[in-house]
């Protein structure tokens, strides 16, 4: 897929995914001008593999042919193997393993297969990250597993939640690959505090990794509502006012984002930390108490470990 036209981008989807009116730290006009130019430069840095983009484009068509998609996948042995590996991982597997991509498509349905293909594409982008990028990659994988587990406890599509978690910090990786030396100088701090670095990004660049990631995901044809959830995960007030599935996914993603940072520390959960997390707006919106999170802790920990294994 070619790069999006920056001027057209600035005229169309910026308003939907850009900062809300309550953001007092950015001048929308100046920041969006810089952002549109920057996006044109970084969008193609690490695009999804061409075959993944083609499969996603085909799956996005309402009248796509099942056999045509199956052929596209099976003609790429690497994609086929990775798709089956992901489908049969503990994170996705049902009672019985899928022995073929065709079986996976029939059993899981087009939506889940779309999410799986996008997940495999994300893994190829994330997998060879090093330094701060590796920390972002591991955090993204862990967050994806945790948010999927949380979503399974609520009326929220768990596959969509997983994809939101996997892609929520894609903008950070793009920034790390860019020539923004000031940003790269932040080092490991980029992955250390899940709900802080976006403020430094806005001061430094005029936009944050969430907005950047959301726009790039639109260009990669990642299905809705994932780009919007990614773009808004540091704009919770806007997401919760929007409510619906977007609000629920943002709440679960933000909760998983913070839980992953806690689970990284070995040992039993800190009751005070869980109580503080549960008293916040994200857990409240998603209706998770400290007691429920404590009970889920072993399952969340195991799911995180399983997701990290997918990247090795």
């Amino acid at each position: 897929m070619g790069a999006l036209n920056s001027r057209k981008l600035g005229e169309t989807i910026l308003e939907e995914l850009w900062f809300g009116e309550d953001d007092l730290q950015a001048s929308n006009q100046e920041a969006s001008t810089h952002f549109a130019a920057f996006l044109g430069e970084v969008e193609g840095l690490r695009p999804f593999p061409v075959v993944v983009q083609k499969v996603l484009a085909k799956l996005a068509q309402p009248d796509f042919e099942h056999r045509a998609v199956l052929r596209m996948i099976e003609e790429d042995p690497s994609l086929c193997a990775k798709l089956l590996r992901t489908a049969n991982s503990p994170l996705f597997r049902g009672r019985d393993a899928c022995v073929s991509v065709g079986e996976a498509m029939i059993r899981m349905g087009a939506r889940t297969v779309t999410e799986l293909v996008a997940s495999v594409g994300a893994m190829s982008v994330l997998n060879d990250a090093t330094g701060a990028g590796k920390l972002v990659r591991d955090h993204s994988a862990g967050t994806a597993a945790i948010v999927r587990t949380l979503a399974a406890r609520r009326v929220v599509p768990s596959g969509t939640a997983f994809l939101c978690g996997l892609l929520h910090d894609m903008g950070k990786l793009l920034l790390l690959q860019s020539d923004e030396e000031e940003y790269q100088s932040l080092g490991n701090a980029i992955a250390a505090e899940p709900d802080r670095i976006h403020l430094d990004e806005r001061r430094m660049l005029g936009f944050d990794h969430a907005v950047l990631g959301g726009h790039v995901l639109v260009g990669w044809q990642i299905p809705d509502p994932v780009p919007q959830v990614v773009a808004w995960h540091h704009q919770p007030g806007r997401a919760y006012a929007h409510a619906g599935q977007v609000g629920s996914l943002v709440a679960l993603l933000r909760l998983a984002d913070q839980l992953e940072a806690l689970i990284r520390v070995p040992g039993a959960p800190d009751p005070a930390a869980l109580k503080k997390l549960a008293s916040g707006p994200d857990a409240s919106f998603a209706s998770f108490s400290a007691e429920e999170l404590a009970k889920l802790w072993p399952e969340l920990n195991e799911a995180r470990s399983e997701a990290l294994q997918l990247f090795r």
Side-chain angles (χ1 to χ4, degrees), residues 98-154:
C98 296
V99 297
S100 69
V101 173
E103 182 182 343
M105 290 185 68
I106 293 171
R107 184 188 301 178
M108 297 180 177
R111 176 171 179 159
T112 300
V113 170
T114 299
E115 291 164 345
L116 280 171
V117 170
S119 297
V120 169
M123 289 175 190
S124 68
V125 174
L126 296 170
N127 202 37
D128 62 355
T130 59
K134 182 179 183 300
L135 296 178
V136 172
R137 180 202 72 186
D138 289 349
H139 169 66
S140 298
T143 300
I146 291 169
V147 73
R148 178 180 172 85
T149 304
L150 296 177
R153 300 297 188 282
R154 299 295 182 263

Coordinates of all heavy atoms in Angstrom, one line a residue, residues 98-154:
C98 N -6.7 -26.3 15.5 CA -7.0 -26.2 14.1 C -5.8 -26.8 13.3 O -4.7 -26.5 13.6 CB -7.1 -24.7 13.7 SG -8.5 -23.9 14.4
V99 N -6.1 -27.7 12.4 CA -5.0 -28.3 11.6 C -4.8 -27.7 10.3 O -3.8 -28.0 9.6 CB -5.4 -29.8 11.4 CG1 -5.5 -30.5 12.8 CG2 -6.7 -30.0 10.6
S100 N -5.6 -26.7 9.9 CA -5.5 -26.0 8.6 C -6.0 -24.6 8.7 O -6.9 -24.4 9.6 CB -6.2 -26.8 7.4 OG -7.6 -26.7 7.6
V101 N -5.6 -23.8 7.8 CA -6.1 -22.4 7.8 C -7.6 -22.4 7.4 O -8.3 -21.6 8.0 CB -5.3 -21.5 6.8 CG1 -5.9 -20.2 6.6 CG2 -3.8 -21.4 7.3
G102 N -7.9 -23.3 6.5 CA -9.3 -23.4 6.1 C -10.2 -23.7 7.3 O -11.3 -23.1 7.5
E103 N -9.8 -24.6 8.1 CA -10.5 -25.0 9.3 C -10.6 -23.8 10.3 O -11.7 -23.6 10.9 CB -9.9 -26.2 10.0 CG -10.6 -26.7 11.2 CD -9.9 -27.9 11.9 OE1 -9.1 -28.5 11.3 OE2 -10.3 -28.1 13.1
A104 N -9.5 -23.1 10.4 CA -9.5 -21.9 11.3 C -10.5 -20.9 10.8 O -11.2 -20.3 11.6 CB -8.1 -21.4 11.3
M105 N -10.6 -20.7 9.5 CA -11.5 -19.7 9.0 C -12.9 -20.1 9.2 O -13.8 -19.2 9.5 CB -11.2 -19.5 7.5 CG -9.9 -18.8 7.2 SD -9.7 -18.4 5.4 CE -11.0 -17.2 5.1
I106 N -13.2 -21.3 9.0 CA -14.6 -21.8 9.2 C -15.0 -21.7 10.7 O -16.1 -21.3 11.1 CB -14.8 -23.3 8.7 CG1 -14.6 -23.3 7.2 CG2 -16.1 -23.8 9.1 CD1 -14.5 -24.7 6.6
R107 N -14.1 -22.2 11.5 CA -14.4 -22.3 13.0 C -14.5 -20.9 13.6 O -15.3 -20.6 14.5 CB -13.4 -23.1 13.7 CG -13.7 -23.3 15.2 CD -12.6 -24.0 15.9 NE -12.2 -25.3 15.4 CZ -11.3 -26.1 15.8 NH1 -10.5 -25.7 16.8 NH2 -11.0 -27.3 15.3
M108 N -13.5 -20.0 13.2 CA -13.4 -18.7 13.9 C -14.2 -17.6 13.3 O -14.6 -16.6 14.0 CB -11.9 -18.3 14.0 CG -11.1 -19.3 14.8 SD -9.4 -18.7 14.8 CE -8.7 -20.0 15.9
G109 N -14.5 -17.7 12.0 CA -15.2 -16.7 11.4 C -14.3 -15.6 10.8 O -13.1 -15.5 11.2
A110 N -14.8 -14.8 9.9 CA -14.0 -13.8 9.2 C -13.4 -12.7 10.1 O -12.3 -12.3 10.0 CB -14.9 -13.1 8.1
R111 N -14.2 -12.3 11.1 CA -13.7 -11.3 12.0 C -12.5 -11.7 12.8 O -11.5 -11.0 12.9 CB -14.8 -10.8 13.0 CG -14.3 -9.8 14.0 CD -15.5 -9.2 14.8 NE -15.0 -8.3 15.8 CZ -15.8 -7.3 16.3 NH1 -17.0 -7.2 16.0 NH2 -15.3 -6.5 17.2
T112 N -12.6 -12.9 13.4 CA -11.5 -13.4 14.2 C -10.3 -13.7 13.3 O -9.1 -13.4 13.7 CB -11.9 -14.7 14.9 OG1 -13.0 -14.4 15.8 CG2 -10.7 -15.3 15.7
V113 N -10.5 -14.2 12.1 CA -9.4 -14.4 11.2 C -8.7 -13.1 10.8 O -7.5 -13.0 10.7 CB -9.8 -15.2 9.9 CG1 -8.7 -15.2 8.9 CG2 -10.2 -16.6 10.3
T114 N -9.5 -12.1 10.6 CA -9.0 -10.8 10.3 C -8.1 -10.3 11.4 O -7.0 -9.8 11.2 CB -10.1 -9.7 10.1 OG1 -10.9 -10.1 8.9 CG2 -9.6 -8.3 9.8
E115 N -8.6 -10.5 12.6 CA -7.8 -10.1 13.8 C -6.5 -10.9 14.0 O -5.5 -10.4 14.3 CB -8.7 -10.2 15.1 CG -9.8 -9.1 15.1 CD -10.9 -9.4 16.1 OE1 -10.9 -10.6 16.6 OE2 -11.7 -8.5 16.4
L116 N -6.6 -12.2 13.6 CA -5.4 -13.0 13.7 C -4.4 -12.6 12.7 O -3.2 -12.6 12.9 CB -5.8 -14.5 13.5 CG -6.4 -15.2 14.7 CD1 -7.0 -16.6 14.3 CD2 -5.4 -15.4 15.8
V117 N -4.9 -12.4 11.4 CA -3.9 -11.9 10.4 C -3.3 -10.6 10.8 O -2.0 -10.5 10.6 CB -4.7 -11.8 9.0 CG1 -3.8 -11.1 8.0 CG2 -5.1 -13.2 8.5
A118 N -4.0 -9.7 11.3 CA -3.5 -8.4 11.7 C -2.5 -8.6 12.9 O -1.4 -8.0 12.9 CB -4.6 -7.4 12.1
S119 N -2.8 -9.6 13.8 CA -1.9 -9.9 14.9 C -0.6 -10.4 14.4 O 0.5 -10.0 14.8 CB -2.5 -10.8 15.8 OG -3.7 -10.3 16.4
V120 N -0.6 -11.3 13.4 CA 0.6 -11.9 12.8 C 1.4 -10.8 12.1 O 2.6 -10.8 12.2 CB 0.2 -13.0 11.8 CG1 1.4 -13.4 11.0 CG2 -0.4 -14.2 12.5
G121 N 0.7 -9.9 11.4 CA 1.4 -8.8 10.8 C 2.1 -7.9 11.8 O 3.2 -7.5 11.6
A122 N 1.4 -7.7 13.0 CA 2.0 -6.9 14.0 C 3.2 -7.5 14.6 O 4.2 -6.9 14.9 CB 1.0 -6.6 15.1
M123 N 3.2 -8.9 14.7 CA 4.3 -9.6 15.3 C 5.5 -9.5 14.4 O 6.6 -9.3 14.9 CB 3.9 -11.1 15.4 CG 3.0 -11.4 16.5 SD 2.4 -13.1 16.6 CE 1.1 -13.0 17.8
S124 N 5.3 -9.4 13.1 CA 6.4 -9.3 12.2 C 7.1 -7.9 12.3 O 8.3 -7.8 12.1 CB 6.0 -9.6 10.7 OG 5.1 -8.5 10.3
V125 N 6.3 -6.9 12.6 CA 6.8 -5.6 12.8 C 7.5 -5.4 14.1 O 8.5 -4.8 14.2 CB 5.6 -4.5 12.7 CG1 6.1 -3.1 13.0 CG2 5.0 -4.6 11.3
L126 N 6.9 -6.1 15.1 CA 7.4 -5.9 16.5 C 8.6 -6.8 16.8 O 9.4 -6.5 17.6 CB 6.3 -6.2 17.5 CG 5.1 -5.3 17.5 CD1 4.0 -5.9 18.4 CD2 5.5 -3.9 18.0
N127 N 8.7 -7.9 16.1 CA 9.5 -9.1 16.5 C 11.0 -8.8 16.7 O 11.7 -9.3 17.5 CB 9.3 -10.3 15.6 CG 9.7 -11.6 16.4 OD1 9.4 -11.7 17.5 ND2 10.3 -12.5 15.6
D128 N 11.6 -8.0 15.7 CA 13.0 -7.8 15.8 C 13.4 -6.5 16.5 O 14.5 -5.9 16.3 CB 13.7 -7.8 14.4 CG 13.1 -6.7 13.5 OD1 12.2 -6.0 13.9 OD2 13.6 -6.6 12.3
A129 N 12.5 -5.9 17.3 CA 12.8 -4.7 18.0 C 14.0 -4.9 19.0 O 14.1 -6.0 19.6 CB 11.6 -4.2 18.7
T130 N 14.8 -3.9 19.2 CA 15.9 -4.0 20.2 C 15.8 -2.8 21.1 O 15.2 -1.8 20.9 CB 17.2 -4.1 19.5 OG1 17.4 -2.9 18.7 CG2 17.3 -5.3 18.6
G131 N 16.6 -2.9 22.2 CA 16.7 -1.8 23.1 C 15.3 -1.4 23.7 O 14.5 -2.2 24.1
A132 N 15.0 0.0 23.6 CA 13.7 0.4 24.1 C 12.6 -0.2 23.3 O 11.5 -0.4 23.9 CB 13.7 2.0 24.1
G133 N 12.8 -0.4 22.0 CA 11.8 -1.0 21.2 C 11.4 -2.4 21.7 O 10.3 -2.8 21.6
K134 N 12.4 -3.2 22.2 CA 12.1 -4.5 22.7 C 11.2 -4.4 24.0 O 10.3 -5.2 24.2 CB 13.4 -5.3 23.0 CG 13.2 -6.7 23.6 CD 14.5 -7.4 23.8 CE 14.2 -8.9 24.3 NZ 13.4 -8.9 25.5
L135 N 11.5 -3.4 24.8 CA 10.6 -3.2 26.0 C 9.2 -2.9 25.6 O 8.2 -3.4 26.2 CB 11.2 -2.1 26.8 CG 12.6 -2.4 27.5 CD1 13.1 -1.2 28.2 CD2 12.6 -3.6 28.4
V136 N 9.1 -2.0 24.5 CA 7.8 -1.7 24.0 C 7.1 -2.9 23.4 O 5.9 -3.2 23.7 CB 7.9 -0.6 22.9 CG1 6.5 -0.3 22.3 CG2 8.4 0.7 23.6
R137 N 7.8 -3.7 22.7 CA 7.3 -5.0 22.1 C 6.7 -5.9 23.2 O 5.6 -6.4 23.2 CB 8.3 -5.7 21.3 CG 7.8 -7.0 20.7 CD 9.0 -7.9 20.3 NE 9.6 -8.5 21.5 CZ 10.7 -9.2 21.6 NH1 11.3 -9.5 20.4 NH2 11.1 -9.8 22.7
D138 N 7.6 -6.1 24.2 CA 7.1 -7.1 25.3 C 5.9 -6.5 26.1 O 5.0 -7.2 26.4 CB 8.3 -7.3 26.3 CG 9.4 -8.2 25.6 OD1 9.1 -8.7 24.6 OD2 10.5 -8.3 26.2
H139 N 6.0 -5.2 26.3 CA 4.8 -4.6 27.0 C 3.6 -4.7 26.1 O 2.5 -5.0 26.7 CB 5.1 -3.1 27.3 CG 3.9 -2.3 27.7 ND1 3.3 -2.5 28.9 CD2 3.2 -1.3 27.1 CE1 2.3 -1.7 29.1 NE2 2.2 -1.0 28.0
S140 N 3.7 -4.5 24.8 CA 2.5 -4.6 23.9 C 2.0 -6.0 23.9 O 0.7 -6.2 24.0 CB 2.9 -4.2 22.5 OG 3.4 -2.9 22.5
A141 N 2.8 -7.0 23.9 CA 2.4 -8.4 23.9 C 1.7 -8.7 25.2 O 0.6 -9.4 25.2 CB 3.6 -9.4 23.6
G142 N 2.3 -8.3 26.3 CA 1.7 -8.6 27.6 C 0.4 -7.9 27.8 O -0.6 -8.5 28.3
T143 N 0.3 -6.6 27.4 CA -0.9 -5.9 27.5 C -2.0 -6.5 26.6 O -3.2 -6.6 27.1 CB -0.7 -4.4 27.0 OG1 0.3 -3.8 27.9 CG2 -2.0 -3.6 27.1
A144 N -1.7 -7.0 25.5 CA -2.6 -7.7 24.6 C -3.3 -8.9 25.3 O -4.5 -9.1 25.2 CB -2.0 -8.1 23.3
A145 N -2.4 -9.7 25.9 CA -2.9 -10.9 26.6 C -3.8 -10.5 27.8 O -4.8 -11.2 28.0 CB -1.7 -11.8 27.1
I146 N -3.4 -9.5 28.5 CA -4.1 -9.1 29.7 C -5.5 -8.5 29.3 O -6.5 -8.8 29.9 CB -3.3 -8.1 30.5 CG1 -2.1 -8.8 31.2 CG2 -4.2 -7.5 31.6 CD1 -1.1 -7.9 31.8
V147 N -5.5 -7.7 28.3 CA -6.8 -7.0 27.9 C -7.7 -8.1 27.3 O -8.9 -8.0 27.5 CB -6.5 -5.8 27.0 CG1 -6.1 -6.3 25.6 CG2 -7.8 -5.0 26.9
R148 N -7.2 -9.1 26.6 CA -8.0 -10.1 26.1 C -8.7 -10.9 27.3 O -9.9 -11.2 27.2 CB -7.2 -11.1 25.3 CG -8.0 -12.3 24.7 CD -7.1 -13.2 23.9 NE -7.9 -14.4 23.5 CZ -8.7 -14.5 22.5 NH1 -8.9 -13.5 21.7 NH2 -9.3 -15.7 22.2
T149 N -7.9 -11.2 28.3 CA -8.4 -11.9 29.5 C -9.5 -11.1 30.2 O -10.6 -11.6 30.6 CB -7.3 -12.2 30.5 OG1 -6.3 -13.0 29.8 CG2 -7.8 -13.0 31.6
L150 N -9.3 -9.8 30.3 CA -10.3 -8.9 31.0 C -11.5 -8.8 30.1 O -12.7 -8.8 30.6 CB -9.7 -7.5 31.1 CG -8.5 -7.3 32.1 CD1 -8.0 -5.9 32.1 CD2 -8.9 -7.8 33.5
A151 N -11.4 -8.7 28.8 CA -12.5 -8.6 27.9 C -13.4 -9.8 27.9 O -14.6 -9.7 27.8 CB -12.0 -8.3 26.5
A152 N -12.8 -11.0 28.1 CA -13.6 -12.2 28.2 C -14.5 -12.2 29.4 O -15.4 -13.0 29.5 CB -12.6 -13.4 28.3
R153 N -14.2 -11.3 30.4 CA -15.1 -11.2 31.6 C -16.2 -10.2 31.4 O -17.0 -10.0 32.3 CB -14.2 -10.8 32.8 CG -13.1 -11.8 33.2 CD -13.7 -13.2 33.6 NE -12.8 -14.1 34.1 CZ -11.9 -14.8 33.4 NH1 -11.8 -14.6 32.1 NH2 -11.1 -15.7 34.0
R154 N -16.2 -9.5 30.3 CA -17.2 -8.5 30.0 C -17.7 -8.7 28.6 O -17.2 -9.6 27.8 CB -16.5 -7.1 30.1 CG -15.9 -6.7 31.4 CD -17.0 -6.6 32.5 NE -16.5 -6.3 33.8 CZ -16.2 -7.1 34.8 NH1 -16.3 -8.4 34.5 NH2 -15.7 -6.7 35.9

